Amino acid sequence: MRHLMLAAAMLPFLAIGPALAQTWPSKPITVIVPYAAGGPTDTVARLTALGLSRQLNNHSVVVENATGAGGTIGANRVATAEPDGHTLLVHHVGISTAATLYRKLPYDTRTAFAPIAVLTDSAMTIIAREDFPPNTLPELVKYLQQQKDKVSYGNAGIGAASHLCGMLMMSAMNVQLNTVSYRGNAPVMQDLLGKTLDMTCDQATNTTGQIKAKKVKAYAITTKERIADLPDLPTADEAGLKGFEVNVWHALYAPKGTPDAVVQRLAQAARGALKDAEIVKRFAEINTTTANDERASPAGLARTLNSEIDKWAPLIKAAGQYAD
């Protein structure tokens, strides 16, 4: 009898999910970006918001920047938000590395979010100041192994894509460079152009213009395939750094507990947005490709997130570089 009473008491709560799905969305949807306005993640989020709005009958989808602590402040805001499908998160590969970089996160990255969809992939470029001595990637590897900590490597801060790329690059090349952390990508590029910094690894979104203008020296692209905007720049694998790959992927999340029907509708809207001709064109203009249907799904994102956490954890632990 007691079990029957408990089950009866639970019925109203069990009904909340389907009822919410029928009325959703009932207010503006807010997409939280855990990084500053104007950066690559912000751009991805704003194009995604535009696409989602179109797929949801022009429903209001707004972007809000909640910065700080390597993206964990914005992520925590979504992790603790009401799971009603009206507060979402767009984050990049850093969400998977934060799970190890921050040893006291207020949330469990693997379980705090309802995965919706992988959105985009962006290549990175290994670049140096214009007058840096090596001219090819093999020459660069040899030079770095000889010079080691005499060479300065700049990143945009602990947990930034440039930091992650640098860690993986140094591991692959078996070198330890003099790492300099900045507050953002802009000052890194400024010092590279001013020739007070030797090298970095940054998203093609940020570097293509400087590479084309020959204001920096480019050695390789970090994805499996070359990109159309830089057809003569080889992949790291092609240039001799076998198996080296860094892909800056962005994805869409909701808080854990968001009704599955809402999550599936959001995933459907995301897939539709990623096929919108204007959205695809605008992503291509910043050297970003859209995810296919398999990855732009809750299951596809769950696989990506967990595999990336597993990939980066040993590298971060081996480097002993933590953000807290």
Side-chain angles (χ1 to χ4, degrees):
M1 183 67 178
R2 183 178 178 181
H3 294 298
L4 289 173
M5 291 174 65
L6 179 61
M10 288 293 294
L11 284 175
F13 297 96
L14 294 173
I16 289 175
L20 176 61
Q22 290 175 7
T23 60
W24 179 89
S26 58
K27 59 184 179 181
I29 296 170
T30 299
V31 176
I32 300 296
V33 180
Y35 300 104
T41 303
D42 182 68
T43 300
V44 169
R46 291 181 188 279
L47 287 174
T48 299
L50 173 62
L52 288 176
S53 177
R54 290 177 176 177
Q55 293 295 313
L56 298 172
N57 300 315
N58 294 316
H59 188 81
S60 177
V61 182
V62 298
V63 173
E64 184 177 332
N65 301 87
T67 64
T72 61
I73 289 177
N76 188 51
R77 179 169 164 183
V78 176
T80 56
E82 184 72 22
D84 59 6
H86 293 101
T87 304
L88 309 177
L89 172 71
V90 168
H91 207 317
H92 65 30
V93 58
I95 194 172
S96 61
T97 59
T100 306
L101 279 170
Y102 291 84
R103 291 165 290 185
K104 295 181 180 179
L105 276 180
Y107 54 87
D108 184 335
T109 306
R110 293 186 193 266
T111 61
F113 306 98
I116 297 172
V118 176
L119 299 170
T120 61
D121 297 289
S122 300
M124 301 196 76
T125 51
I126 299 173
I127 60 174
R129 54 183 166 84
E130 181 271 332
D131 59 348
F132 203 49
N135 292 309
T136 65
L137 188 62
E139 288 179 12
L140 177 67
V141 174
K142 185 176 180 180
Y143 183 85
L144 296 182
Q145 289 175 341
Q146 292 171 342
Q147 300 296 320
K148 298 182 179 178
D149 59 0
K150 295 178 183 177
V151 176
S152 57
Y153 176 91
N155 65 50
I158 299 294
S162 51
H163 168 237
L164 303 176
C165 184
M167 258 196 321
L168 193 60
M169 183 188 75
M170 284 184 262
S171 176
M173 295 181 180
N174 193 30
V175 298
Q176 188 60 50
L177 308 180
N178 176 25
T179 301
V180 183
S181 290
Y182 292 74
R183 297 186 68 177
N185 294 303
V188 175
M189 182 59 75
Q190 182 178 350
D191 279 3
L192 207 62
L193 295 174
K195 301 178 182 178
T196 58
L197 178 70
D198 290 325
M199 63 180 298
T200 190
C201 178
D202 196 7
Q203 292 184 59
T205 301
N206 300 328
T207 64
T208 297
Q210 306 293 357
I211 293 171
K212 286 184 172 182
K214 299 188 184 301
K215 293 182 178 180
V216 297
K217 187 175 287 187
Y219 295 99
I221 203 88
T222 67
T223 44
K224 290 181 180 179
E225 297 179 357
R226 299 189 186 198
I227 60 175
D229 226 10
L230 297 168
D232 297 326
L233 188 62
T235 68
D237 188 87
E238 287 175 333
L241 204 58
K242 296 300 180 183
F244 182 87
E245 181 184 0
V246 182
N247 169 39
V248 181
W249 51 275
H250 285 85
L252 183 66
Y253 307 81
K256 176 186 178 181
T258 301
D260 185 63
V262 173
V263 170
Q264 294 299 332
R265 180 67 186 94
L266 279 163
Q268 181 186 44
R271 287 191 293 273
L274 298 180
K275 292 183 177 71
D276 183 309
E278 180 189 348
I279 303 297
V280 171
K281 178 177 180 292
R282 290 176 66 178
F283 274 131
E285 288 171 351
I286 57 171
N287 289 309
T288 298
T289 58
T290 54
N292 61 30
D293 282 356
E294 186 279 325
R295 296 179 68 228
S297 68
L301 174 52
R303 283 192 294 271
T304 297
L305 177 62
N306 285 305
S307 67
E308 288 283 299
I309 291 173
D310 293 340
K311 168 186 172 179
W312 289 105
L315 284 168
I316 294 167
K317 290 176 181 176
Q321 296 180 5
Y322 297 99
D324 51 14

